[in-house]
Amino acid sequence: MRKHSESGLTRRSLIGSGIGAAVGFASWRSRAATPAKVRVGAINPSSGVLAFPGQACVRGIDVGAKFAKEKFGIELQIIHADTQSRPENGRIAAENLIRQGCTVLIGAWDSGATISALQAAEAAKVPMVVHIASATQVTSQGFTEVFRYYPTSLTIVRKSLMELKSILSSIKDAPTSAVVMHLNNTMGQSTAASIDQAWKEVEVPLRIAEYIPYDERAKDLSVEVAKAKASGADALVSVTRVNDAIMIIRECTKQGWNPKMIFSPNSNGAQDKAYYDALGKYGDGAILSTLWYNPKAPDAAAILKRFASDYPNDWVDGNSGCAFEAVQIVADAVSRAGSSESAAIHAALKGTDMTPILMSSGKIKFDANGQNMGSDVTILQGQNGKPRVVAPQSVAEAALQYPLVPFNSR
């Protein structure tokens, strides 16, 4: 884990530190005259209830900056800010970073914090590349400084449900009904609404028995899991962060609820190392739809080697991968702009047209609202203590295991 010297987050103090150049990748020639150094503000929830994915993003950004130095010939001085998992701190962090001379921002993982940070970016006319945050509002409120790499909740849910429908058609004794358990924050509500809409559009052959919302700061989900079990549904569709994903599985185990399938569109949990560390054998079997890295990408081997060297106790996941990719988007724009000024970087970001360096997510190109039009998703399943790619077939590394092995039989 990256060590930080972090105290409280205030309007007068900035949490974080810079990083310099790096070695370890093959060399590339820079494509244009570029500024010697660019200050990039990175906003993530590296403490609080969202610390696990937030810290993964920090790792991805730091490795990404090292890679960009070699790939694009640009030194990105990363200044990290911690929202402490509080959405309202997004704007405070962004304002502090801008005062520190950051001319482009990356952030903020949580949709609420991202929208908050974008308000400051908009006021200061500083572009912000959104590595992860799926709520529709991020690119539907008229922000001109936003460039979101991650798909909207509706896009990722629709594609996820198409994959789910394909899976259901290929298995015997498929589930017949599902209960949807979801966070009641900005991301969770947006995703639940997207599920409701896309479920009908895609015509998923499962009846939704009930929607069960819960607070992201909940310390106990026994009542919600009991309600899900009582619904009679034989599949669980969950919209989670890693902490609550762990609590749900623990409660399923305690209460003896063994759904045939657990499927999570647009959420964390089954991709996080913390999930498997906490649950052990009970972490296997859950299915997750997410953006994931492409092991066949030209530079993937060098990038994965760098991650393993810098963070031997962690692995590359969708969080660190998307954060890494956001840094490459910034570096590409700075390279083409030939400037560290916000206006020039903004103009270059509008003209972005690049193949992802690491991720399996489709072409990166932003529409008039700042939304990336590429949005390929990958289906993962927990197998033997680690997420494995099971769909689409073109990138699958393992076969889907169905039904879910009963928790009390493990």
Side-chain angles (χ1 to χ4, degrees):
M1 182 186 302
R2 178 180 169 83
K3 296 181 179 179
H4 295 274
S5 177
E6 295 179 352
S7 55
L9 180 63
T10 69
R11 292 183 180 275
R12 296 184 180 181
S13 64
L14 180 66
I15 302 170
S17 60
I19 64 171
V23 296
F25 296 108
S27 296
W28 291 269
R29 294 181 182 179
S30 58
R31 294 177 294 171
T34 56
K37 182 182 293 187
V38 181
R39 283 194 167 190
V40 179
I43 306 169
N44 286 291
S46 53
S47 66
V49 297
L50 305 178
F52 288 129
Q55 290 166 6
C57 290
V58 169
R59 294 192 291 271
I61 287 170
D62 284 352
V63 173
K66 294 175 181 180
F67 181 87
K69 172 66 176 178
E70 300 299 321
K71 177 75 172 180
F72 298 99
I74 300 167
E75 183 175 348
L76 301 178
Q77 182 185 9
I78 306 295
I79 304 177
H80 289 287
D82 176 15
T83 65
Q84 300 170 343
S85 300
R86 298 181 182 275
E88 65 272 20
N89 284 347
R91 179 163 190 157
I92 298 170
E95 289 173 345
N96 280 327
L97 291 168
I98 292 166
R99 280 197 291 268
Q100 290 287 322
C102 294
T103 56
V104 59
L105 304 176
I106 295 172
W109 197 87
D110 171 64
S111 291
T114 299
I115 293 168
S116 177
L118 278 167
Q119 293 169 357
E122 193 73 11
K125 296 303 177 188
V126 172
M128 179 169 166
V129 175
V130 178
H131 58 333
I132 298 176
S134 64
T136 304
Q137 299 95 308
V138 172
T139 48
S140 68
Q141 294 188 343
F143 293 121
T144 62
E145 300 299 323
V146 63
F147 297 90
R148 174 162 57 177
Y149 168 65
Y150 205 78
T152 65
S153 58
L154 180 57
T155 298
I156 196 168
V157 166
R158 185 184 288 118
K159 292 200 172 192
S160 300
L161 294 185
M162 290 173 66
E163 291 290 347
L164 174 60
K165 184 177 179 179
S166 176
I167 289 171
L168 292 172
S169 68
S170 68
I171 58 178
K172 295 181 179 180
D173 190 27
T176 59
S177 64
V179 61
V180 180
M181 292 186 65
H182 67 91
L183 291 155
N184 66 358
N185 60 8
T186 303
M187 183 278 288
Q189 291 175 354
S190 177
T191 302
S194 297
I195 290 172
D196 190 56
Q197 177 180 337
W199 202 274
K200 302 180 184 75
E201 294 176 353
V202 176
E203 298 181 333
V204 179
L206 280 177
R207 177 182 62 88
I208 295 182
E210 192 171 358
Y211 285 85
I212 303 175
Y214 59 88
D215 190 88
E216 71 177 329
R217 297 181 185 276
K219 301 298 183 182
D220 184 293
L221 292 176
S222 58
V223 172
E224 288 81 1
V225 171
K227 192 174 181 181
K229 181 181 178 182
S231 74
D234 53 358
L236 168 62
V237 174
S238 60
V239 181
T240 64
R241 301 283 172 67
V242 64
N243 291 339
D244 42 300
I246 292 168
M247 284 194 286
I248 288 172
I249 298 301
R250 284 177 172 166
E251 281 300 325
C252 287
T253 304
K254 287 179 185 178
Q255 297 186 28
W257 185 38
N258 296 292
K260 293 179 180 178
M261 176 181 288
I262 297 177
F263 182 78
S264 298
N266 188 34
S267 58
N268 275 37
Q271 67 164 294
D272 293 63
K273 187 173 184 293
Y275 177 86
Y276 295 95
D277 288 346
L279 294 173
K281 62 184 179 181
Y282 300 107
D284 284 349
I287 303 167
L288 173 81
S289 176
T290 187
L291 269 67
W292 200 248
Y293 66 85
N294 177 9
K296 299 178 181 179
D299 298 316
I303 294 166
L304 295 175
K305 183 177 179 180
R306 168 59 70 177
F307 266 104
S309 174
D310 287 2
Y311 304 104
N313 296 320
D314 295 286
W315 63 44
V316 179
D317 61 14
N319 297 301
S320 53
C322 286
F324 176 95
E325 201 68 58
V327 177
Q328 309 318 307
I329 294 169
V330 169
D332 170 74
V334 171
S335 176
R336 287 182 290 105
S339 171
S340 62
E341 296 299 317
S342 293
I345 296 172
H346 181 276
L349 284 168
K350 291 181 71 174
T352 297
D353 187 355
M354 63 184 287
T355 299
I357 301 295
L358 176 63
M359 300 299 284
S360 179
S361 59
K363 197 82 167 177
I364 303 172
K365 193 171 184 178
F366 300 105
D367 66 16
N369 295 320
Q371 177 62 53
N372 177 28
M373 293 181 279
S375 58
D376 293 346
V377 299
T378 300
I379 306 298
L380 310 173
Q381 184 179 42
Q383 297 183 6
N384 299 317
K386 193 169 184 178
R388 303 288 301 280
V389 178
V390 296
Q393 281 301 116
S394 60
V395 293
E397 59 182 351
L400 178 76
Q401 296 177 358
Y402 176 85
L404 192 73
V405 176
F407 295 114
N408 56 7
S409 301
R410 301 188 186 193

